Amino acid sequence: MNRGPYYLTTAIAYTSGKPHIGNTYEIVLADAIARYRREQGYDVRFQTGTDEHGQKIELKAADAGKSPKEFVDEVAAEIKRIWDLMNTSYDKFIRTTDTYHEKQVQKIFKKLYEKGDIYKGYYEGMYCTPCESFFTQSQLVDGKCPDCGRPVSPAREEAYFFKMSKYADRLIEHINTHPEFIQPESRKNEMMNNFLLPGLQDLCVSRTSFKWGIPVDFDDKHVVYVWLDALTNYITGLGYDADGNHDDLYNKYWPADLHLIGKDIIRFHTIYWPIFLMALDVPLPKQVFGHPWLLQGDGKMSKSKGNVIYADDLVEMFGVDAVR
Ligand SMILES: [Zn+2]
């Protein structure tokens, strides 16, 4: 029996270093869903990959004495090796340094600029370097980055902005009429009450403070904001074309049935991403599911805490099926 197409994605893994079992958890979870859907008779497409641009990677590469591209080539290969070691049945491994992806991101940026949804201005705010995000004073938590808890510093730069507020009412309406869109329910309430209902600010979608990104093709001292670049992987990986000459895969599989992501990036996937899609006149994914983290003791696993466990060490001890 053919139940029709089913498209699911993981978040793309950031190539700042080797993934630990917290990152590996997501690909295995998605793999279990993909296998289950195939058993049910769905024509499954399962996409994963790597998110390779941004200032953090530029800095890490410099520390390692490598070019950013050399650095991400090594880390992306390591991530793919672990996904394969874990016996995950993905159909597509996209890298945001792939040429077709970079070209489409440039076309998308230009399209949104020509449409008037992106405009040029200046940004002044509090900046978190590891997260590559600006925040207003009111968004800070105890004066620190609300996403990672690190210190932020004041910054001002020429930048392009996206008119988020233009689409806010439409997004609120969509969320209210599609209770399955953001899961679990608690995440939906968090997005509504903390971000959408208080009012969306325009989003800064370019950077001039570093080079390692996709250049804005009509103004190349700017690189495209890493989230606008990264999120579009879900459509460029199917052969989306900003001029409408899509591959058959895109016509068959979009909109996605499921974006499976970590709870820390829910805001990007349930506010920014659907709004970018609305601006492009592209249908929204059917569901975004934010899964919790694997914890070590009472906190998140992190290299700085020295409590990281890697999948390949566990596989060596217990075998792949036991680790899965
Ligand atoms: Zn941060």
Side-chain angles (χ1 to χ4, degrees):
M1 183 168 56
N2 186 345
R3 291 177 187 254
Y6 185 92
Y7 178 39
L8 85 158
T9 66
T10 65
I12 47 176
Y14 200 52
T15 49
S16 57
K18 181 176 173 173
H20 55 64
I21 57 164
N23 316 122
T24 309
Y25 166 65
E26 183 171 298
I27 185 78
V28 173
L29 181 58
D31 183 61
I33 297 168
R35 287 169 187 268
Y36 175 63
R37 292 300 186 196
R38 284 187 204 110
E39 283 295 310
Q40 287 184 309
Y42 288 95
D43 187 353
V44 170
R45 184 166 173 93
F46 173 16
Q47 179 169 303
T48 187
T50 43
D51 175 12
E52 306 192 358
H53 293 120
Q55 187 171 24
K56 190 170 160 188
I57 286 170
E58 191 175 83
L59 294 172
K60 287 232 169 193
D63 284 349
K66 291 174 180 153
S67 73
K69 186 62 166 62
E70 286 170 335
F71 184 83
V72 296
D73 281 350
E74 283 174 23
V75 179
E78 181 68 359
I79 290 170
K80 191 162 186 296
R81 186 185 69 78
I82 292 171
W83 282 194
D84 291 339
L85 174 72
M86 295 307 292
N87 200 15
T88 58
S89 60
Y90 58 84
D91 300 292
K92 169 80 174 176
F93 190 101
I94 186 173
R95 298 179 56 187
T96 57
T97 51
D98 289 340
T99 309
Y100 65 92
H101 172 82
E102 294 191 337
K103 190 174 150 215
Q104 285 303 326
V105 169
Q106 290 184 316
K107 283 171 82 168
I108 286 168
F109 195 97
K110 195 170 179 191
K111 184 173 180 169
L112 296 175
Y113 179 72
E114 284 168 355
K115 197 181 167 193
D117 285 343
I118 287 178
Y119 64 93
K120 199 173 187 176
Y122 282 93
Y123 200 94
E124 278 180 272
M126 303 305 286
Y127 190 69
C128 175
T129 303
C131 296
E132 289 163 27
S133 298
F134 277 105
F135 299 98
T136 60
Q137 284 292 349
S138 66
Q139 287 171 325
L140 301 179
V141 175
D142 299 327
K144 298 202 168 120
C145 173
D147 287 340
C148 74
R150 292 185 179 88
V152 291
S153 52
R156 170 186 157 98
E157 64 182 42
E158 182 189 272
Y160 288 90
F161 290 86
F162 185 96
K163 288 181 186 167
M164 281 288 155
S165 52
K166 177 175 166 187
Y167 297 94
D169 287 347
R170 219 175 116 190
L171 179 57
I172 290 169
E173 172 72 16
H174 182 85
I175 292 170
N176 284 333
T177 53
H178 297 78
E180 73 291 351
F181 178 60
I182 306 177
Q183 288 292 321
E185 182 93 12
S186 56
R187 307 276 177 240
K188 177 175 89 179
N189 299 336
E190 191 184 320
M191 289 304 115
M192 275 292 200
N193 298 333
N194 297 356
F195 296 99
L196 280 166
L197 296 177
L200 288 181
Q201 300 205 327
D202 289 354
L203 179 70
C204 182
V205 289
S206 77
R207 297 287 185 271
T208 53
S209 50
F210 62 95
K211 283 279 159 219
W212 182 239
I214 301 175
V216 174
D217 66 347
F218 55 89
D219 191 356
D220 66 8
K221 71 173 185 289
H222 292 262
V223 297
V224 177
Y225 173 52
V226 71
W227 278 103
L228 179 55
D229 164 2
L231 287 163
T232 57
N233 92 85
Y234 300 130
I235 53 176
T236 63
L238 292 174
Y240 168 85
D241 176 57
D243 295 328
N245 303 313
H246 311 306
D247 286 357
D248 291 343
L249 274 178
Y250 174 81
N251 295 324
K252 177 175 175 182
Y253 283 107
W254 191 261
D257 295 86
L258 176 64
H259 289 322
L260 183 67
I261 58 165
K263 63 176 187 174
D264 50 326
I265 54 174
I266 276 270
R267 175 161 53 94
F268 302 98
H269 282 78
T270 62
I271 298 179
Y272 301 166
W273 179 228
I275 285 179
F276 294 149
L277 291 171
M278 284 176 182
L280 291 168
D281 281 322
V282 168
L284 304 193
K286 293 172 198 165
Q287 184 166 99
V288 177
F289 190 99
H291 64 74
W293 296 325
L294 290 187
L295 300 179
Q296 261 283 70
D298 56 1
K300 212 179 166 184
M301 229 176 271
S302 79
K303 279 184 193 154
S304 54
K305 288 188 200 159
N307 62 0
V308 173
I309 301 172
Y310 295 105
D312 42 357
D313 295 334
L314 293 181
V315 168
E316 208 168 287
M317 277 189 269
F318 304 112
V320 64
D321 286 341
V323 177
R324 285 172 59 103

